[in-house]
Amino acid sequence: MFCVFSVLMFLDYVASSAAMGLTGFFEPATLFIQRWLPLFYVPALVVLPLAVRDIPAASGLKICFILVSVFSPVGGWLASLSVAGYTAITVRRVMKTEMIPAEPMTKPSPFTSVELWVWTAIFISTFILAFIWPTALGTSARTCLPFLLAATVLGYMVGSWLPSNVKKVFHPIICCAFAADLAALAYGYFSRSGMDAVLADYLTKVSSNPGAGDLLMGFLGSVIISFAFSMFKQRKLVKRHAAEIFSTVIISTIFSLYSTAIVGRIIGLEPTLTISILPRCITVALALSIVSLFEGANSSLTAAVVVLTGLVGANFVQAVMDKLRLHDPIARGIATASSAHGLGTAALSAKEPEALPFCAIAYALTGIFGSLLCSIPVVRQSLLFIVK
């Protein structure tokens, strides 16, 4: 992503028409990705029931307190969001950087009734096929792929048509995951295979036997690279507010790691569980690499907590930022990605494409800086000292 952005910036410097021609060439692809962006992040949310079932109830409640507590003076998604948002504004004031309007971004076209009926037909026909012949396409995962994919798409479409006041508390991403889980529950019931088996087929993580979730997550590399084109369109703001962006990411990442450790210690969460949830605000792939630096960490719990954090952010980030009076796209983008990583980014950018470039930068830099920070032995020892 940063390499593509750098190339575009270089071309803009030496031959502006070449840079604009390149962005124009890829615009249909970037609009396609932007239109369906939340879908590519939702598979981890769909299989969340499998990840959290082995966590003891008492520990689960403590973890939820750390993630969402609005009463905690430190820790929690709300605190991470607030620190990132207000840090961005504070640095801007200190640097005396005047805010200029963001470049208007093209919004993808809305979904049509024809698309709804096509995906409905796909869902019904392939659901019946899978029920009658569970291995029609060779394996159960491949046979279930079409109707589970259709259910995921239909959930997102229906969610996007909900009234705006409903979407503030029930985001299309949640509707999307709910629809996929409901389809898995129905098929598991009628086929007597059980919901857990169907969810395991939804995201197999086996390239030779992919499920619907594997297909969607296969787009993530392209999705992240596409963010470079959104960043390029807002290049004036990116250059103008570079100090604000970098300093906010550094401060918010440090706050997230240490506040999680402190609150885990205060509420008596087991040290191994606290360590496992330290990178709660960092995207899954890098969060897993971070916890691998600590002995005894539970990587399954890490993945589940990262997804839960993203879920909270995706559902409430816009309404909360409105209440906190974070109105400009820079503060909103940085605060969202720094506190709710990919799911939050997908949720916000679906409605506010102007914030996507700043989400993308913060999303990437938070993971990079968190990984670098935790690779320093002194930092790891200080975190272990706090949690134990």
Side-chain angles (χ1 to χ4, degrees):
M1 181 185 76
F2 284 119
C3 285
V4 172
F5 177 65
S6 299
V7 169
L8 289 170
M9 292 296 291
F10 175 75
L11 286 176
D12 186 52
Y13 179 74
V14 298
S16 181
S17 59
M20 298 309 296
L22 194 59
T23 56
F25 176 78
F26 283 104
E27 187 168 13
T30 56
L31 284 176
F32 171 82
I33 288 173
Q34 188 178 332
R35 191 178 193 230
W36 297 103
L37 184 59
L39 283 185
F40 307 128
Y41 286 94
V42 86
L45 188 56
V46 173
V47 298
L48 187 61
L50 296 180
V52 300
R53 63 182 177 182
D54 295 329
I55 300 174
S59 297
L61 289 173
K62 292 176 182 178
I63 291 169
C64 288
F65 176 84
I66 293 174
L67 296 185
V68 304
S69 175
V70 298
F71 304 107
S72 174
V74 291
W77 166 78
L78 177 61
S80 297
L81 179 79
S82 303
V83 166
Y86 287 125
T87 298
I89 293 173
T90 301
V91 173
R92 185 186 308 159
R93 288 174 179 169
V94 171
M95 299 293 293
K96 297 181 180 179
T97 307
E98 183 181 354
M99 185 68 193
I100 60 174
E103 292 291 328
M105 302 284 283
T106 305
K107 291 189 176 182
S109 59
F111 299 115
T112 65
S113 57
V114 173
E115 290 175 301
L116 177 68
W117 286 113
V118 168
W119 281 106
T120 302
I122 292 172
F123 172 76
I124 294 173
S125 59
T126 55
F127 186 97
I128 293 172
L129 174 65
F131 177 71
I132 296 173
W133 191 1
T135 57
L137 300 181
T139 66
S140 59
R142 288 201 289 264
T143 306
C144 290
L145 188 156
F147 80 79
L148 288 174
L149 177 63
T152 308
V153 171
L154 287 169
Y156 183 56
M157 285 183 173
V158 172
S160 68
W161 287 331
L162 293 173
S164 56
N165 59 333
V166 175
K167 285 192 283 189
K168 287 183 178 180
V169 293
F170 191 67
H171 194 275
I173 285 182
I174 312 302
C175 187
C176 178
F178 178 76
D181 282 334
L182 190 62
L185 178 64
Y187 183 76
Y189 175 78
F190 288 116
S191 67
R192 297 185 181 180
S193 59
M195 182 180 179
D196 286 359
V198 182
L199 289 180
D201 283 338
Y202 185 89
L203 188 63
T204 64
K205 299 181 181 180
V206 178
S207 59
S208 61
N209 185 35
D214 300 282
L215 179 66
L216 291 171
M217 292 187 75
F219 281 89
L220 282 178
S222 301
V223 167
I224 294 171
I225 292 173
S226 75
F227 291 162
F229 294 94
S230 298
M231 290 161 56
F232 178 71
K233 289 181 180 179
Q234 300 291 354
R235 58 194 178 280
K236 292 180 182 178
L237 281 179
V238 171
K239 289 192 291 185
R240 188 182 182 89
H241 297 270
E244 177 184 328
I245 294 168
F246 279 88
S247 58
T248 300
V249 166
I250 291 170
I251 292 171
S252 64
T253 304
I254 293 172
F255 173 83
S256 173
L257 290 169
Y258 281 92
S259 64
T260 303
I262 292 169
V263 176
R265 175 69 177 269
I266 291 173
I267 65 176
L269 185 64
E270 293 89 334
T272 54
L273 297 182
T274 304
I275 290 169
S276 301
I277 68 172
L278 286 177
R280 59 186 173 80
C281 293
I282 296 171
T283 191
V284 173
L286 292 177
L288 292 176
S289 70
I290 288 172
V291 296
S292 69
L293 299 171
F294 297 89
E295 292 184 8
N298 184 334
S299 59
S300 297
L301 175 59
T302 302
V305 167
V306 169
V307 173
L308 280 171
T309 302
L311 169 63
V312 174
N315 212 37
F316 300 109
V317 68
Q318 288 176 289
V320 171
M321 287 193 297
D322 289 341
K323 294 291 185 183
L324 294 175
R325 298 182 180 179
L326 300 173
H327 299 304
D328 66 86
I330 298 177
R332 290 173 76 87
I334 295 173
T336 298
S338 297
S339 62
H341 46 83
L343 275 171
T345 295
L348 183 68
S349 60
K351 289 295 181 183
E352 302 177 26
E354 291 80 10
L356 177 57
F358 309 103
C359 282
I361 295 171
Y363 169 57
L365 291 181
T366 298
I368 292 169
F369 183 71
S371 299
L372 291 174
L373 195 65
C374 290
S375 67
I376 301 172
V378 174
V379 174
R380 287 203 305 276
Q381 291 302 319
S382 65
L383 289 168
L384 289 171
F385 176 78
I386 293 171
V387 301
K388 294 180 179 180

